[in-house]
Amino acid sequence: MDYQKILDQLVNKELKEYKVEANNAFEFQKTLRNYEKRQSITGKAQRGGSIIYTAVNSND
């Protein structure tokens, strides 16, 4: 999975949100920690361990 591309799409508002399942969370977090615009992305934990990521300035 190309998480770098997904993060770019979130920041550029090409994606409204991206859901990461618990079994992929560690790999996604590794990419997010090294992402230069990580302050522009926020995650909201869901029951069951999944996380929904959105752009910080998302008005939706």
Side-chain angles (χ1 to χ4, degrees):
M1 183 65 63
D2 188 354
Y3 292 130
Q4 179 75 34
K5 182 176 180 181
I6 291 167
L7 292 169
D8 288 337
Q9 290 174 328
L10 283 171
V11 169
N12 294 328
K13 311 275 192 216
E14 295 170 29
L15 285 177
K16 180 179 176 183
E17 64 184 29
Y18 182 73
K19 183 176 183 178
V20 177
E21 297 299 333
N23 59 335
N24 297 324
F26 181 74
E27 286 298 316
F28 187 85
Q29 280 294 320
K30 279 186 5 183
T31 305
L32 181 59
R33 269 187 253 116
N34 294 316
Y35 189 64
E36 64 185 49
K37 298 177 185 174
R38 68 183 172 276
Q39 300 297 331
S40 300
I41 297 173
T42 188
K44 188 172 188 179
Q46 306 293 299
R47 285 185 182 229
S50 63
I51 303 170
I52 297 178
Y53 289 92
T54 59
V56 171
N57 294 328
S58 178
N59 295 327
D60 304 313

